[in-house]
Amino acid sequence: MNDTEMLKQNIVDKRLTLATLMYNASSQMNKEEVEAMKADCQRLHLFAINGDLQGALDGTQELIDQIQDRKNNG
């Protein structure tokens, strides 16, 4: 598996984690927060489509960290 394929697989894995976290966290968020989270996901998807795989991976991890921090501190 080359570096690009590894990045793509890591993005898929992180997105699955993110989707689960978002699903669980959305019940505790207001509509604006949910919409902002969706917009972040769309932005990260565009990074990947435009070839910035590392940016997509880093951004996905940041969003995961934000949701986990909110869950732990909320």
Side-chain angles (χ1 to χ4, degrees):
M1 187 179 281
N2 66 34
D3 289 344
T4 301
E5 290 170 341
M6 287 179 63
L7 273 174
K8 287 179 181 179
Q9 186 59 50
N10 284 340
I11 290 169
V12 169
D13 293 344
K14 294 288 183 183
R15 283 189 177 180
L16 291 172
T17 300
L18 179 59
T20 301
L21 287 171
M22 287 175 61
Y23 177 80
N24 292 333
S26 64
S27 64
Q28 301 169 0
M29 296 179 169
N30 63 41
K31 184 177 179 176
E32 292 80 21
E33 291 171 319
V34 171
E35 292 302 318
M37 201 167 39
K38 287 179 183 178
D40 285 341
C41 289
Q42 289 173 341
R43 179 181 52 84
L44 294 170
H45 182 69
L46 289 175
F47 280 11
I49 286 178
N50 290 324
D52 185 1
L53 299 178
Q54 189 63 52
L57 181 61
D58 293 345
T60 302
Q61 184 61 54
E62 287 176 22
L63 196 51
I64 288 169
D65 292 345
Q66 287 175 14
I67 294 170
Q68 287 177 329
D69 287 346
R70 179 186 172 104
K71 180 181 171 186
N72 293 336
N73 296 325

